[in-house]
Amino acid sequence: MPRRTATLPRRLAAPVRRAVLPLVDAWGAVTAPARALPDFLVCGAQRSGTTSLFKSLCQNPAATGPVLRKGVHYFDTGYHRGMSWYRSHFPLRASLRGRPPLRAFESSPYYLFHPMAAERISRDLPWARVVVILRDPVERAYSAHAHETARGFETEPFARAVELEESRLAGEEEKLVADPGYVSRSHQHYGYIARGHYADQLERMEKHLGRDRMYVADYAELFDGTTRELRRIEDFLGLPPGPDRVPGRHNARERTVMPEGLRAELAARFAESDRRLARWWGRTPSWCA
């Protein structure tokens, strides 16, 4: 059996994990020079199955995530902390040796949307490949609102939050570009419509990483009840096939039914972006078929 020392602690109950985390982080900081950097990243989109993909890839005999985490959020909100801090979250290089050798990765879905993340990834991890999952942007926005509400970041109903988005995000991207240490609550938590303009984000990522380092998956195909799309992702990442288990659905939130009028209005707002996405992707997204 391959060594799973880096991922087994993730099975700890959440209260225990929170209690242990400061000790793990302190040890990680001391041993950072001996720790690995990731070979690949799951970069988003938020509320598009990144947690499910992370859990599926962690079951692969050749992959392991950060210690006690899904994502580190270094290339978006933690970049000012430096590379040693980033290394401290990953397994020791010595623990990755074996047959098959383990490859480290993380999943931080804000990487796709943050205006500087792709450039930083390209500069600091020039070998790393990235995986992006795309979901119907209307459904993604509605799911994101339920998620942010449950976490206490959002207090407005969905329709009002969409109305407020432009004013909430005004000038925030420029501040993020200008100041590496700036963290924008609004940009991270209130981009319901902006995060669904996938073509802009993918073109930016391609500019810095190149198309050959990117795999873009369709949410509907990843969760079609088969392992076909998961196997394609593993093949892109150079991983052997993992267990024959279809990706489960994690972090689902209770939601009311979206009014049809609002759904139609949002779909119309995304129409041009979806056409640009289809041209970039070379295929029709499932939600447009």
Side-chain angles (χ1 to χ4, degrees), residues 4 6-7 10 54 58 63-70 89-91 103-106:
R4 306 302 295 173
T7 52
R10 294 190 60 84
F54 175 80
C58 278
T64 185
V67 181
L68 294 180
R69 284 177 171 83
K70 168 194 169 188
H89 294 84
F90 291 96
R103 300 177 65 194
F105 78 106
E106 63 144 327

Side-chain angles (χ1 to χ4, degrees), residues 160-289:
R160 178 58 177 159
V162 169
E163 290 177 2
L164 291 171
E165 180 174 338
E166 184 175 354
S167 62
R168 282 171 158 179
L169 268 59
E172 292 302 293
E173 185 165 309
E174 290 78 6
K175 293 177 184 177
L176 289 165
V177 171
D179 181 0
Y182 182 66
V183 175
S184 171
R185 173 187 172 117
S186 294
H187 191 268
Q188 187 171 3
H189 299 290
Y190 300 147
Y192 305 113
I193 304 303
R195 282 189 186 241
H197 291 152
Y198 299 131
D200 294 332
Q201 300 163 67
L202 292 168
E203 287 171 359
R204 178 174 61 210
M205 188 163 277
E206 180 183 17
K207 173 185 174 182
H208 292 290
L209 274 71
R211 191 70 170 265
D212 61 332
R213 291 170 61 190
M214 303 167 59
Y215 187 95
V216 181
D218 193 306
Y219 176 93
E221 294 177 359
L222 185 60
F223 296 103
D224 67 356
T226 74
T227 60
R228 286 191 294 266
E229 186 65 4
L230 177 60
R231 293 290 175 262
R232 287 191 282 264
I233 292 171
E234 289 171 331
D235 183 64
F236 170 77
L237 297 173
L239 298 173
D244 193 23
R245 301 175 191 159
V246 300
R249 293 177 185 268
H250 302 275
N251 285 350
R253 300 284 187 185
E254 291 290 334
R255 296 182 292 162
T256 58
V257 176
M258 191 189 309
E260 283 305 315
L262 180 57
R263 180 185 295 277
E265 176 188 334
L266 294 180
R269 290 181 63 175
F270 283 120
E272 176 56 30
S273 176
D274 285 343
R275 283 191 286 270
R276 286 182 55 212
L277 171 63
R279 290 193 295 270
W280 183 91
W281 205 357
R283 54 163 291 180
T284 302
S286 62
W287 58 90
C288 297

